Amino acid sequence: MVNDLKRPFRLALLNMYEGISNQGIRAIKEILGDFANEIEYQEFDVRGKCELPDLSFDLYISSGGPGNPLEGDGKWDVAWYNWVDSVWKHNASEAPHKKHVFFICHSFQMVCNHFGLGDVNLRSVPSFGIYPCHKTKAGADDPMLAGLDDPYYIVDSRDWQLVQPKLSVFKKRGASILSLEKIRTHVQMERAIMAVRFSPYMVGTQYHPEADPKGMYVHFEKEENREVVIKNHSVRKYNAMMKSLEHPEHIARTHHMVIPSFLRTAMKHMRMEYA
């Protein structure tokens, strides 16, 4: 790679939605639009066309997506895991210019299972809505979550979960748990792990930090989307979510802080490498 700070940083956006209409990719692209003078990006259709980026990019975001994170078609999933391993191997080597990666929800669950960090299993009840998320001690010190309260608010939309962390594997890999699921005193259920730093260059969340209140409000205000939420969850869940979207201290802060902080921290590190 040419040592030239005059060029924009290159980011690969790994679309994991398999062609299904979603708000995630739109929201990620809007965040990247705020960095248009610094970052140029290329989108890869991982599950639809088995497209994977090479190691010529500086940054990577692997999105959320539908379905079972433990299953694939034997092609795109194998290629995706090979890509993860190639990035990890590159960063562990003496090669210059480390690669910075952010994993979201489906991708987060896949990489946690791939690294053997815990048990990825099907929830007894799907989690859907806007909830508080609690920082761990490591999370309180992590630059990605700097500027967020504790707890901070997240958009959660998942049937699966990462629980029962294998702390010996975390220690061996140098990984750390940054956030945990909301506290639920009324049920005896283990709290899911909601954010992990896999290395100084790789991090991810089980929630959707890209979600923006305006986009979500417009999307779920539409009758067909409202009816889906009410059918799959409840009127109460729908009304609570829509009310929370109006709160300026809820997901708006998470939207403006988490992925942008990842990008700024990564670019700062890379500028130091190029200097």
Side-chain angles (χ1 to χ4, degrees), residues 18 29 37 125 173 175 180:
E18 204 169 16
K29 288 180 177 179
N37 293 330
V125 177
R173 284 192 166 270
L180 294 171

Side-chain angles (χ1 to χ4, degrees), residues 100-149:
H100 297 256
V101 188
F102 196 105
F103 301 93
I104 299 173
C105 198
H106 193 93
S107 295
F108 172 88
Q109 293 163 348
M110 287 181 66
V111 75
C112 287
N113 182 68
H114 184 57
F115 287 165
L117 295 179
D119 183 17
V120 177
N121 60 38
L122 188 64
R123 289 176 58 90
S124 58
V125 177
S127 180
F128 180 84
I130 297 172
Y131 301 109
C133 185
H134 297 263
K135 298 181 188 180
T136 63
K137 184 178 184 302
D141 296 332
D142 196 276
M144 187 184 75
L145 302 181
L148 290 175
D149 295 332

Side-chain angles (χ1 to χ4, degrees), residues 27-141:
I28 294 170
K29 288 180 177 179
E30 288 191 4
I31 292 173
L32 294 177
D34 293 335
F35 292 85
N37 293 330
E38 301 171 279
I39 297 173
E40 61 182 23
Y41 70 88
Q42 181 178 343
E43 185 175 353
F44 294 82
D45 184 351
V46 178
R47 296 171 69 174
K49 299 178 181 178
C50 199
E51 296 176 345
L52 273 300
D54 58 24
L55 290 177
S56 66
F57 292 85
D58 304 300
L59 306 105
Y60 302 81
I61 296 177
S62 191
S63 78
N68 185 343
L70 307 182
E71 294 181 353
D73 64 0
K75 295 180 181 179
W76 71 261
D77 52 318
V78 172
W80 188 88
Y81 289 127
N82 287 340
W83 163 74
V84 169
D85 289 339
S86 69
V87 174
W88 186 272
K89 183 177 179 181
H90 173 90
N91 286 345
S93 73
E94 296 298 322
H97 313 318
K98 305 305 184 184
K99 309 299 177 179
H100 297 256
V101 188
F102 196 105
F103 301 93
I104 299 173
C105 198
H106 193 93
S107 295
F108 172 88
Q109 293 163 348
M110 287 181 66
V111 75
C112 287
N113 182 68
H114 184 57
F115 287 165
L117 295 179
D119 183 17
V120 177
N121 60 38
L122 188 64
R123 289 176 58 90
S124 58
V125 177
S127 180
F128 180 84
I130 297 172
Y131 301 109
C133 185
H134 297 263
K135 298 181 188 180
T136 63
K137 184 178 184 302
D141 296 332

